[in-house]
Amino acid sequence: MDERAYREQNEKTIRSTQTALRNFRDFLVSKYPTETREIYCIPCQELDIYLASFFVDARQRDGSEYEPNSLANYQCGLERYLKEHRYAYSITRDREFQRSQNALKQKQLELKFKGKGNKPHKSMKLTLADELLLRKRGLLSRFNPEGLLNLVWLNNTKAFGHCTGFHSSTLKWGDVRLITTETGLECLEWTYQDFSDPNARNRRSTTECRIYATPHAPQTCPVQDYKDFAQRRPQAMLFEDAPFYLSIKPVVNLAALHWYNCQALGKNKLAKMVKTMCEKGNIPGRKTNFSVYQSCSTLSEAQSNQLVLICNDLRQQAAQSGSSHPGSTNFVIAGSFDSTDSA
């Protein structure tokens, strides 16, 4: 795992521990107001009682019960906090805390019986049919700034998202390189810095971290998507340390060479890439960035033919848009692409 990934993971762990500690302390104040000691100063017999009561009676701020996994995460967070303060016992393993351990197990069973933990908000797979609709509605397209940004992000996430250390919010332009294989085929290669040797900052890559061109299907070629994205970037954003994903200009002239700002796309927008494009494309179901990891990237022959037709149609629309009014300039407002047409 590279340095950036480790730092992000460590920050999440710290936040999780702080949340568990805050909720447990709030519970103690409301249920046992006379208890003012730090939890690592409370003897194990008393702390075990407090924890058992917390797992059974604790509620969220709106009065609803926690998810089974949330309670287990709180137990782990409190365990980390107590370990940091050299507490003599483990609340997850030692029998001195058997009462609270059993209370947690029973509560989890009770919550699951009530239907909790079934993950009603679980993200759904981004299917090939969904992608075809997004392409048809211009939300995955080379011919507008939002569609091109979505397209390149989707290509990268499908190809590199499984790799340890790949994080779209920290991706730099130099992390993805256009190369040519020994057979003459172009491909995109994700390279990462090897931090195992503190004296070396060499970039490493493997053939598993590549996206290959598809000369037989240029309309859907991911390498061509990358080239178009590179062409639409400002010249100042083509150096290695520039952020890979850029924000779209507030008002974009589609006939202009550059569509993007010299500014990184925000983390929040990156975290909602799939959700945003699916909402704009009227794609049903709960879709998140995780939906991409669940998706299948193999197209059937019929789907490939349909995709070619969609891409050709989008190209014709873009050409007509630029030539039908030669005396005017075609502008779009970033983020307001109309995708209300029916499938």
Side-chain angles (χ1 to χ4, degrees):
M1 185 177 297
D2 67 24
E3 190 176 43
R4 288 175 294 186
Y6 176 80
R7 184 167 57 252
E8 289 184 7
Q9 183 178 0
N10 191 42
E11 289 174 355
K12 290 180 181 179
T13 302
I14 292 173
R15 288 196 299 269
S16 177
T17 301
Q18 291 173 342
T19 300
L21 184 61
R22 181 178 63 252
N23 289 341
F24 183 57
R25 282 173 171 167
D26 289 346
F27 174 79
L28 289 179
V29 170
S30 63
K31 189 78 178 285
Y32 305 97
T34 59
E35 180 56 75
T36 59
R37 292 171 291 182
E38 286 285 352
I39 66 171
Y40 54 79
C41 296
I42 302 175
C44 60
Q45 295 86 352
E46 296 176 65
L47 185 56
D48 187 32
I49 295 173
Y50 292 153
L51 286 169
S53 180
F54 173 68
F55 294 140
V56 172
D57 299 326
R59 296 290 186 276
Q60 300 187 67
R61 292 186 177 181
D62 61 0
S64 62
E65 295 193 281
Y66 285 104
E67 293 289 329
N69 287 344
S70 296
L71 292 175
N73 289 337
Y74 289 160
Q75 185 193 43
C76 293
L78 294 171
E79 171 89 332
R80 287 191 295 269
Y81 179 77
L82 291 169
K83 185 177 181 180
E84 289 173 4
H85 290 82
R86 301 183 182 277
Y87 197 71
Y89 301 95
S90 167
I91 65 174
T92 62
R93 298 187 304 273
D94 291 347
R95 60 182 179 180
E96 283 79 5
F97 286 87
Q98 191 167 11
R99 175 183 293 190
S100 60
Q101 292 164 10
N102 291 337
L104 175 59
K105 291 178 183 178
Q106 290 299 320
K107 187 63 178 180
Q108 288 180 310
L109 291 174
E110 177 188 334
L111 292 172
K112 289 179 180 179
F113 182 77
K114 292 180 179 179
K116 291 279 188 178
N118 293 333
K119 298 184 178 180
H121 302 299
K122 181 179 180 181
S123 60
M124 300 173 63
K125 180 171 69 174
L126 187 70
T127 65
L128 293 172
D130 294 335
E131 288 190 39
L132 290 175
L133 281 175
L134 290 172
R135 286 183 180 268
K136 180 179 180 180
R137 294 169 183 174
L139 289 155
L140 290 173
S141 169
R142 295 175 188 164
F143 307 112
N144 69 80
E146 184 179 12
L148 181 57
L149 181 66
N150 290 339
L151 193 58
V152 172
W153 179 89
L154 188 66
N155 291 340
N156 286 345
T157 304
K158 276 187 172 184
F160 310 136
H162 68 284
C163 301
T164 301
F166 177 82
H167 296 276
S168 59
S169 62
T170 57
L171 190 68
K172 302 298 182 183
W173 184 247
D175 292 340
V176 178
R177 297 183 176 182
L178 177 62
I179 64 172
T180 304
T181 66
E182 295 178 354
T183 60
L185 182 64
E186 287 186 315
C187 70
L188 300 174
E189 184 176 69
W190 175 59
T191 60
Y192 60 97
Q193 288 187 346
D194 183 12
F195 288 92
S196 59
D197 183 357
N199 297 320
R201 293 179 61 85
N202 296 327
R203 291 183 176 273
R204 303 292 180 87
S205 61
T206 69
T207 55
E208 295 179 358
C209 301
R210 288 180 178 178
I211 311 176
Y212 291 93
T214 57
H216 60 284
Q219 298 93 336
T220 59
C221 176
V223 172
Q224 187 58 50
D225 296 339
Y226 171 88
K227 289 180 178 179
D228 284 12
F229 186 58
Q231 186 179 19
R232 297 297 184 178
R233 297 168 66 89
Q235 191 67 30
M237 292 290 102
L238 293 175
F239 57 91
E240 285 198 351
D241 289 335
F244 192 95
Y245 300 109
L246 304 177
S247 62
I248 303 171
K249 290 183 176 181
V251 179
V252 182
N253 177 1
L254 294 182
L257 180 60
H258 300 140
W259 288 348
Y260 304 99
N261 294 313
C262 295
Q263 180 180 358
L265 189 65
K267 283 186 178 181
N268 291 338
K269 289 188 177 181
L270 279 167
K272 298 178 181 179
M273 291 289 283
V274 174
K275 179 182 177 181
T276 301
M277 71 175 82
C278 286
E279 286 179 349
K280 290 184 176 182
N282 295 322
I283 306 297
R286 184 175 186 269
K287 301 295 197 299
T288 67
N289 287 0
F290 185 72
S291 301
V292 177
Y293 302 114
Q294 300 171 288
S295 65
C296 174
S297 59
T298 302
L299 288 169
S300 67
E301 183 177 357
Q303 288 169 326
S304 297
N305 293 336
Q306 185 180 0
L307 187 54
V308 170
L309 292 175
I310 290 171
C311 292
N312 287 337
D313 186 51
L314 287 171
R315 181 184 292 105
Q316 291 174 4
Q317 289 179 20
Q320 290 172 0
S321 177
S323 61
S324 58
H325 302 287
S328 62
T329 306
N330 187 16
F331 287 94
V332 296
I333 306 300
S336 64
F337 187 82
D338 184 8
S339 57
T340 56
D341 64 315
S342 58

